[in-house]
Structures are given as C-alpha cells and as structure tokens.
Amino acid sequence: MGKVIERVSLFLLLSSMAQANFIINPSFESGSSSWKLTGNLAVEPWADCDLPNLADNNPDGDFGIALYGWINGGNGVLSQDISGASVHTGTVYVLSGSFHREPGFDPTFYELAIEWLDSGSNVIGRASNNLIGKGTAGVTPTSPLEWSIFNVTGTAPVGTTSIRTMVAFSGTSDVGGLQAARIDNVSLRFLTDDFTYSTNSGGKLT
C-alpha cells in the first residue's frame, strides 16, 4: 500500500510541475545571475526577443544572450545546472529557447544540449541538437520570421542528481558583415503529451 501511495504522490507531483520552468532567470532580466557564461558571449539589450508566439507565448523583458560570431576562433558556452526537487530519474525533459542568427554567424560547432550529472558532477549521459545551419538567417531581429524555437529532449538516467542545460559554439571567423546570434526565453520542463510551441509559421521547430 505504501508503494501505491508513493507512486500516486509522485504522479501528482509530476503533474503539478509539468508546466513549471526549472530554469532560473530564463530571459536574462537579472543579467547573468544563475547562469555560467564562458567565452565570447554576454547579456545584451540588443539580443532580446520581445515578440509574441515565441517561447511559451510569453515574451518577457529587455535582455537576451548575444553570441559574438565576428571573432576568429571564437567560442562560448552558456550553461545552468538544475538540482534538487526538479530532478527525477526516468523522466523525460525538454530544453528549449528562442534563437536568432545573422547571416555571418557561421561557427563550425553549435548545439543545444542537456547533460545528466551524477553526485560527483560526472557526465553520465547527454542529449543534443545540432543547430548548424538551422533557422532563417536575418538582419532584422524585430521580425518574428527571423526567430526560431529549437528544443532537445532526453530522459534522465539512473544516477542523475543534477541536470546541465547548455548552448555551446566554436569555430567562428571574421568574414565581415553582421555575425551575431541571439538566445532568449530558455526553458527546461517535463515533456508532456501536449507539448507544443507555436511559432510564426504555425509549426514546431526542433
């Protein structure tokens, strides 16, 4: 009987948290607080995605993350580790965000990823989405047609005690012109059957 109650309680907990965003400071309105930024990227007001019908249909704030693609040999990592009550092994998570890239942003490596960490902070699994060449490159970030929502899903394996969410890029070069990329409205949630994000084109980009 105890196991049944335990399972029911866990089900109710997961159900109540299904729509919760486990990312802290998801739209960077508190600067880089709760995030780790390394390399050629920073919080910038000109990287904000303040448009309807993008991540969570809830545009928020005045800041976003800018990736500086005009640096020869440039690279960077944006990451946040999630731990505690938000971590449940065997549960499927989805990491997503709003992305924009200018025509000259052309790294050799660019991905959105989830890493599963054990109690010793060792990576015991990962899931990733290769973003090279994805989305519409543009020079007008105020246009919803130039933003895309990308996501990656993965199941937390046994032994997971924390979840690392990250965007990483490397291998940029100064080719001239506009070469930045932008990230905003990041979310990490439980994957549910009704998971969908509407975009300007009415579909879901992955």
Side-chain angles (χ1 to χ4, degrees), residues 95-114:
L95 172 65
S96 66
S98 300
F99 291 79
H100 180 274
R101 67 181 175 90
E102 294 174 343
F105 183 76
D106 191 25
T108 58
F109 175 80
Y110 187 31
E111 73 168 10
L112 174 68
I114 302 173

Side-chain angles (χ1 to χ4, degrees), residues 17 82-89 91 93 116 156 160-163 190:
M17 297 175 69
I82 311 298
S83 59
S86 301
V87 180
H88 298 274
T89 60
T91 300
Y93 291 81
W116 316 109
T160 299
T161 59
S162 61
I163 304 169
F190 293 137

Side-chain angles (χ1 to χ4, degrees), residues 31-105:
S32 60
S33 176
S34 299
W35 292 94
K36 181 178 180 180
L37 282 66
T38 59
N40 309 120
L41 69 167
V43 178
E44 297 277 11
W46 52 266
D48 171 51
C49 174
D50 192 14
L51 298 167
N53 301 319
L54 291 174
D56 305 334
N57 292 315
N58 184 27
D60 178 36
D62 301 302
F63 295 92
I65 292 291
L67 311 183
Y68 303 150
W70 56 84
I71 298 173
N72 288 319
N75 64 85
V77 177
L78 169 72
S79 66
Q80 183 175 140
D81 289 0
I82 311 298
S83 59
S86 301
V87 180
H88 298 274
T89 60
T91 300
V92 183
Y93 291 81
V94 56
L95 172 65
S96 66
S98 300
F99 291 79
H100 180 274
R101 67 181 175 90
E102 294 174 343
F105 183 76

